[in-house]
Amino acid sequence: MKIKTLLMGAIACTALAPAAFAERGTDGNVSIIYWQAPSILNPFLSGGTKDVESASLVIEPLARYDENGGMVPFLASEIPTVENGGVSADLTSITWKIAPGIKWSDGSAFTAHDVKFTADYCMHPEGGCAQLTKFEGVTSVEALDDMTVKVTFDKPTPFPYGPFVGGESPIIQKAQFENCMGAKAPECTTENFGPIGTGPFVVTEFKPNDVITMKANDNYRDPAKPAFATLTFKGGGDATAAGRAVMETGEFDYAWNLQLAPEVIQQMQAGGKGTPVAGFGPLVERIMLNQTNPSPDLPEGERSTAKHPHPFLQDPAVYKAMSMAIDRPLLVEIGYGQAGKVTCNWVPAPAAVNSDTFTCDTQDIEGAKKLLDDAGIVDSDGDGVREKDGVPLKVVYQTSTNAVRQDFQALIKEWWAEIGIESELRNINASVFFGGDPGSPDTFQKFYADVEMYANTFNGTDPQSYLANGLCDKAPKPESQWQGENISRFCNEEYDALHAELTKTAGADARAEIAKRLNDIMVENGGMIPLVHRGRLSAHSNTLGGVVLNVWDSELWNVADWHRIK
């Protein structure tokens, strides 16, 4: 099934929607299923998409990205620019005006003081904030008055829209979270499970890794929205069950991230209850390569930290051979069909930043073997496993539990075995793997494995904040409660310096060239092995109107506009 066909189906269903709602809460319940279950509703304590998106029903940013990647105001009255005076002429500050009349769900006024507090919360020196890259270069955030907040940067910043923009950088209420700063943040269970928000819904009950129930926010800024009185957000299961629950049985109204083979989607759509919707953003399935040693023989607190470099994954011959051994076109065919493309890049979209430096669409087992042979990494004892400096090339390869990912693991294990690398496969419940629990050994941030596979993306069309995920100081570590976006613990002086240049470079073409070079440094130096540029594929009930798939922000970005088609 072609992506264009899926999109046409979505447009046809949307066209049936009524132009406006009569009043708030008249359409009963809407039910959403994410087969990766949320474990927390505070996106500052988890980088997992399922946590960020479920929280977006409740807490909101000053601005979002729409379905075309354009920035639109949400809690702000307008998007600040140099032209309207919101961005200073020297590009060192941005000033946001809060839209009048916005209230928190508890009825109190939303003010600039909440915005400033959110920055203080994330930037706290004793805390671990999963979204800290959004505040890169910020020297101060000031509430100039109740309705005005000013963000100042340490140098001219041509793209000043990192803080408070997109689903990953929402505003939390000062009154609720002011006793949850720094190291105390993960301990505030009540606050993290039930944030007070400005969004269309309010949490009534949160069962981690299971189900969230919500009701319409009586203080939401549009008196006619949301159309639904209640919302059920079910987590867990698998993508197959989620897709069937919408398209075959009609049990649910919306299913996210249907990471399923194309023929399976076609069969489900034949059930007649729902419609798949799809689009390509920057989502990439990749293998992250641990630059540090995850051995359980190391003392706790030192595993997977910079104190102990990995014994062989920093060797170019090893990680390049691992990449050469992979048949990416086959992975696309069995896993995604028309909803996938081969990619060698970390950032394949938007098109302006998609590098053409590498080619990787042809598997080369013999070339991979020769590369390792020439580097002196050979099987010296005849057991089928090569050694580097006496260390066998044996890797623990982990990912989340999902049929497509387990298929990928099985194939890649075979291909790596052909070139003399042995793999131990692990799959972890997605709710745990993508959770932010600092006490769990199984989170993708803690990375107690040699390699791990997953996909993620970024909000908007400018990759500056996303590329900051490769900075040396963004590696998760015990001191940050294992929060941090640099999952591979990649550290490269050239990369850090070039990213600093990006933060002060104006002009779309110049910024794109730097972004492509940053992508190349990451891939060329073994931070990751990109596999598949994935289309975002979800599904909605044929009776659910107002759904607009957004690959540049939270998929639930416009849930206030959803309504029942009678």
Side-chain angles (χ1 to χ4, degrees):
M1 179 172 296
K2 295 184 181 299
I3 293 294
K4 180 179 178 182
T5 305
L6 299 181
L7 289 171
M8 289 298 290
I11 292 168
C13 284
T14 303
L16 298 174
F21 314 132
E23 59 181 290
R24 175 180 296 148
T26 56
D27 283 348
N29 185 72
V30 62
S31 54
I32 298 170
I33 184 165
Y34 273 45
W35 55 271
Q36 293 179 9
S39 55
I40 195 169
L41 289 175
N42 182 349
F44 296 114
L45 298 184
S46 172
T49 302
K50 41 90 175 184
D51 298 321
V52 171
E53 299 210 353
S54 55
S56 74
L57 296 163
V58 178
I59 51 178
E60 302 175 302
L62 296 181
R64 285 196 184 282
Y65 296 94
D66 66 16
E67 73 274 23
N68 299 312
M71 210 176 301
V72 291
F74 256 57
L75 302 179
S77 58
E78 63 180 355
I79 303 298
T81 63
V82 173
E83 291 73 19
N84 64 24
V87 176
S88 64
D90 63 1
L91 306 181
T92 60
S93 69
I94 181 171
T95 301
W96 293 89
K97 292 287 188 181
I98 307 298
I102 296 175
K103 293 182 178 181
W104 292 102
S105 58
D106 64 2
S108 60
F110 173 83
T111 73
H113 303 285
D114 295 300
V115 182
K116 172 183 165 42
F117 169 78
T118 300
D120 293 341
Y121 176 91
C122 187
M123 296 171 69
H124 195 287
E126 296 175 9
C129 181
Q131 310 298 342
L132 192 57
T133 56
K134 303 296 185 297
F135 296 89
E136 191 73 18
V138 173
T139 57
S140 68
V141 178
E142 308 166 79
L144 302 183
D145 56 45
D146 284 352
M147 305 300 289
T148 312
V149 63
K150 180 180 180 181
V151 181
T152 302
F153 299 91
D154 58 7
K155 56 183 172 296
T157 303
F159 189 82
Y161 306 107
F164 318 124
V165 178
E168 296 166 332
S169 192
I171 314 301
I172 56 176
Q173 189 191 55
K174 178 181 179 182
Q176 185 183 29
F177 282 90
E178 59 187 345
N179 294 320
C180 300
M181 300 284 280
K184 294 181 180 178
E187 302 170 8
C188 292
T189 303
T190 300
E191 294 82 357
N192 294 330
F193 286 3
I196 294 168
T198 57
F201 291 96
V202 177
V203 178
T204 54
E205 185 179 18
F206 177 60
K207 296 179 180 178
N209 303 326
D210 186 8
V211 66
I212 313 166
T213 54
M214 301 186 186
K215 65 177 182 178
N217 177 2
D218 292 334
N219 290 299
Y220 189 61
R221 54 191 172 272
D222 188 330
K225 300 178 184 179
F228 292 101
T230 58
L231 181 148
T232 303
F233 192 113
K234 183 70 176 78
D238 55 49
T240 302
R244 284 175 178 159
V246 170
M247 291 187 281
E248 292 184 4
T249 70
E251 181 185 359
F252 284 84
D253 291 303
Y254 191 86
W256 162 86
N257 188 23
L258 298 182
Q259 195 175 353
L260 298 166
E263 62 272 16
V264 175
I265 296 292
Q266 285 181 311
Q267 292 167 4
M268 289 180 180
Q269 189 177 10
K273 299 286 188 178
T275 301
V277 287
F280 276 95
L283 184 67
V284 168
E285 190 79 15
R286 86 289 296 269
I287 294 173
M288 305 300 286
L289 305 172
N290 201 337
Q291 303 292 289
T292 61
N293 194 341
S295 171
D297 297 332
L298 294 171
E300 189 62 30
E302 295 187 14
R303 292 178 67 185
S304 289
T305 70
K307 291 181 180 180
H308 301 281
H310 198 280
F312 55 80
L313 283 179
Q314 293 189 22
D315 190 312
V318 174
Y319 59 74
K320 289 181 180 180
M322 293 170 78
S323 180
M324 291 166 66
I326 295 171
D327 186 343
R328 288 173 178 80
L330 180 59
L331 295 182
V332 169
E333 179 184 343
I334 67 164
Y336 301 100
Q338 293 295 320
K341 305 174 184 178
V342 169
T343 188
C344 315
N345 292 327
W346 176 22
V347 186
V353 300
N354 187 28
S355 173
D356 59 2
T357 299
F358 309 113
T359 56
C360 60
D361 54 357
T362 302
Q363 183 185 44
D364 188 0
I365 294 288
E366 294 307 314
K369 290 178 181 178
K370 184 176 187 305
L371 188 62
L372 292 167
D373 289 341
D374 291 348
I377 303 172
V378 298
D379 174 14
S380 58
D381 56 11
D383 66 351
V385 180
R386 296 174 185 263
E387 301 92 29
K388 174 179 167 59
D389 301 327
V391 178
L393 268 58
K394 297 182 178 182
V395 297
V396 175
Y397 175 8
Q398 70 182 19
T399 189
S400 63
T401 304
N402 168 270
V404 171
R405 287 192 171 132
Q406 271 67 80
D407 287 345
F408 278 25
Q409 277 186 306
L411 287 169
I412 292 171
K413 176 179 180 173
E414 279 188 34
W415 295 328
W416 285 350
E418 289 186 51
I419 64 171
I421 298 175
E422 182 179 305
S423 306
E424 175 190 336
L425 304 183
R426 294 183 69 215
N427 68 84
I428 301 164
N429 180 282
S431 301
V432 175
F433 186 67
F434 293 113
D437 182 0
S440 172
D442 295 322
T443 65
F444 81 111
Q445 299 101 324
K446 193 164 277 188
F447 204 172
Y448 280 180
D450 300 283
V451 300
E452 63 184 10
M453 181 172 63
Y454 62 90
N456 72 1
T457 185
F458 60 92
N459 287 175
T461 56
D462 188 284
Q464 178 180 307
S465 293
Y466 188 62
L467 290 165
N469 293 356
L471 298 175
C472 296
D473 65 353
K474 298 301 182 292
K477 49 188 176 293
E479 298 79 26
S480 66
Q481 287 80 55
W482 293 104
Q483 294 294 344
E485 303 92 327
N486 185 347
I487 303 301
S488 284
R489 287 68 161 150
F490 180 81
C491 190
N492 180 288
E493 290 183 5
E494 181 187 1
Y495 187 99
D496 279 22
L498 193 59
H499 189 273
E501 184 179 336
L502 176 63
T503 66
K504 59 188 179 184
T505 297
D509 291 345
R511 290 178 64 78
E513 287 306 311
I514 294 174
K516 286 191 281 190
R517 179 58 189 146
L518 287 166
N519 172 92
D520 293 352
I521 293 172
M522 172 65 74
V523 175
E524 196 170 28
N525 290 278
M528 69 177 68
I529 300 174
L531 300 174
V532 180
H533 180 195
R534 284 175 46 192
R536 193 95 68 93
L537 180 67
S538 296
H540 65 80
S541 162
N542 289 338
T543 67
L544 183 64
V547 175
V548 179
L549 184 72
N550 188 338
V551 298
W552 307 108
D553 206 308
S554 167
E555 285 195 23
L556 306 177
W557 72 294
N558 77 326
V559 71
D561 297 329
W562 290 8
H563 51 271
R564 188 67 65 198
I565 299 173
K566 306 299 183 184

